């Protein structure tokens, strides 16, 4: 009887060890491939085209070049600095730049290292994107003469974390977050609840922890049908920023919240410092 029990214990032990090894292997696979999930840069390198806009080539950190699409603002009008989503590249923002141009606002969209025309040896990363964005904003302030007081920071999806960090560093006077997450750590924990996200995530983009210290006016836009970043994350951020307004768009998904002229007009109003309409 004892020998039978020992054999059973050995089998159980082998099963447990196999499961642990498989679990660790899957966690390792997630860890080493996570940037392909967080930064799924689109194929190809398109140069943005827009009449009245200029493609800036800005000296970046360690001899790199930071690319930005710039629409000059009319005198005394603010400039909206936009940080795009993780599945886009700079050329995809030309349509949005045109809408701000038509609204009489300046516009600057920043390309991320490893994306589009900024593709090179450097892979996208949180710190790399911050460095490129800060270089672009420094150029906007110093060389183009747009001070932080006339700078509106705007981020969509992954870009919401970039915009929040630039706001924390004092680069703008207002902040727009479109389909924002609380942090990539929390988002990863929801997508992979069985994995130790807090130990594995490299690029944390922790907007939630920064929010209480950002005292700018903040406008958050999120859709109820967002299947990429749950709408409750945008709602939660609305409670963490001291001066936040939240607009929840019924039936909108992750990538179509800016499709209607009504919400774009609210973004223009917010950028100009005008009062937003009351609403949910």
């Amino acid at each position: 009887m004892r020998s039978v029990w020992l054999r059973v214990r050995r089998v159980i032990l082998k099963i447990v060890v196999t499961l642990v090894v498989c679990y660790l292997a899957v966690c390792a696979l997630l860890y080493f491939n996570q940037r392909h999930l967080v930064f799924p840069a689109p194929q190809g390198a398109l140069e943005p085209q827009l009449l009245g806009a200029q493609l800036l080539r800005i000296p970046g950190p360690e001899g790199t070049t930071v690319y930005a699409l710039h629409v000059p603002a009319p005198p005394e009008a603010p400039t909206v600095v936009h940080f795009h989503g993780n599945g886009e590249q700079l050329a995809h923002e030309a349509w949005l730049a045109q809408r701000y141009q038509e609204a009489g606002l300046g516009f600057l969209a920043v390309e991320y290292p490893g994306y589009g025309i900024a593709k090179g040896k450097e892979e996208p990363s949180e710190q790399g994107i911050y460095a490129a964005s800060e270089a672009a904003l420094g150029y906007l302030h110093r060389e183009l003469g747009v001070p932080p007081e006339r700078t509106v920071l705007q981020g969509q999806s992954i870009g919401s974390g970039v915009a929040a960090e630039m706001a924390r560093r004092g680069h703008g006077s207002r902040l727009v977050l479109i389909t924002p997450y609380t942090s990539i750590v929390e988002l990863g924990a929801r997508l992979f609840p069985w994995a130790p996200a807090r130990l594995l995530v490299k690029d944390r983009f922790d907007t939630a922890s920064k929010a209480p210290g950002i005292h700018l006016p903040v406008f958050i836009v999120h859709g109820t049908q967002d299947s990429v970043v749950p709408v409750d994350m945008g709602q939660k951020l609305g409670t963490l920023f001291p001066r936040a307004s939240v607009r929840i768009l019924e039936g909108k998904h992750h990538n179509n919240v800016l499709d209607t002229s009504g919400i774009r007009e609210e973004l223009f109003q917010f950028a100009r410092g005008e009062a937003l309409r009351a609403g949910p």
Side-chain angles (χ1 to χ4, degrees):
M1 187 68 182
R2 178 178 173 80
S3 62
V4 173
W5 172 239
L6 288 174
R7 285 198 297 272
V8 171
R9 285 184 62 184
R10 290 193 194 100
V11 170
I12 293 173
L13 182 60
K14 286 181 180 179
I15 292 173
V16 170
V17 170
T18 300
L19 290 174
V20 169
V21 169
C22 289
Y23 175 76
L24 292 176
V26 172
C27 287
L29 190 65
L30 272 177
Y31 178 79
F32 289 110
N33 289 279
Q34 63 183 274
R35 282 186 169 148
H36 295 294
L37 298 174
V38 177
F39 305 111
Q43 295 297 312
L46 304 174
E47 187 167 314
Q49 303 290 331
L50 177 63
L51 188 65
Q54 181 183 7
L55 179 62
L56 303 178
R57 293 170 173 83
I58 300 165
E62 299 180 0
T64 60
T65 298
V66 177
Y67 296 89
L69 179 66
H70 180 232
V71 175
E76 303 306 314
T79 293
V80 174
V81 179
H82 182 77
F83 303 98
H84 63 70
N86 66 351
E88 302 175 296
Q89 59 174 290
L90 189 59
H92 298 152
E93 308 314 305
W95 78 274
L96 190 59
Q98 184 177 4
R99 299 299 182 272
Y100 279 91
Q101 183 184 49
E102 293 166 350
L105 296 164
F107 188 86
L108 182 81
V110 182
E111 187 57 291
Y112 304 148
Y115 273 70
I117 55 178
K119 279 186 177 175
K121 294 182 181 179
E122 183 181 358
E123 69 173 350
S125 69
E126 180 180 12
Q127 296 306 319
I129 292 173
Y130 288 165
S133 300
E134 192 153 46
L137 283 160
Y139 187 88
L140 178 72
H141 301 328
R142 293 189 302 269
E143 305 300 327
L144 300 181
V146 179
E149 294 75 23
R150 292 208 311 273
T151 301
V152 179
L153 301 166
Q154 175 175 288
Q156 184 165 6
S157 192
I158 197 73
S160 66
V162 185
E165 175 62 18
M166 294 303 107
R168 189 188 69 82
R169 297 185 187 190
H171 285 294
S173 61
R174 304 175 82 76
L175 176 63
V176 177
L177 303 178
I178 303 164
T179 62
Y181 46 85
T182 50
S183 73
I184 295 300
V185 173
E186 185 176 349
L187 192 58
R190 293 198 190 191
L191 290 173
F192 306 102
W194 43 267
R198 297 193 181 279
L199 298 177
L200 297 179
V201 172
K202 298 177 182 178
D203 305 285
R204 308 178 83 81
F205 290 104
D206 192 353
T207 301
S209 69
K210 302 168 187 175
I214 297 174
H215 294 271
L216 308 177
V218 179
F219 185 32
I220 296 171
V221 179
H222 218 130
T224 59
Q225 298 302 310
D226 193 328
S227 60
V228 178
V229 180
V231 66
D232 67 273
M233 286 194 168
Q235 292 169 319
K236 181 178 179 180
L237 286 176
T239 68
L240 297 176
F241 285 100
R243 301 175 62 189
S245 299
V246 180
R247 184 73 71 244
I248 302 301
L249 303 178
E250 190 65 38
K252 288 293 184 180
H253 298 268
H254 189 69
N255 294 317
N256 69 350
V257 291
L258 301 184
D259 284 359
T260 57
S261 60
I263 191 62
R264 292 197 300 270
E265 184 56 40
E266 285 199 74
L267 294 179
F268 304 153
Q269 291 172 356
F270 181 78
R272 297 188 194 104
E274 300 169 5
L276 296 171
R277 67 174 174 83

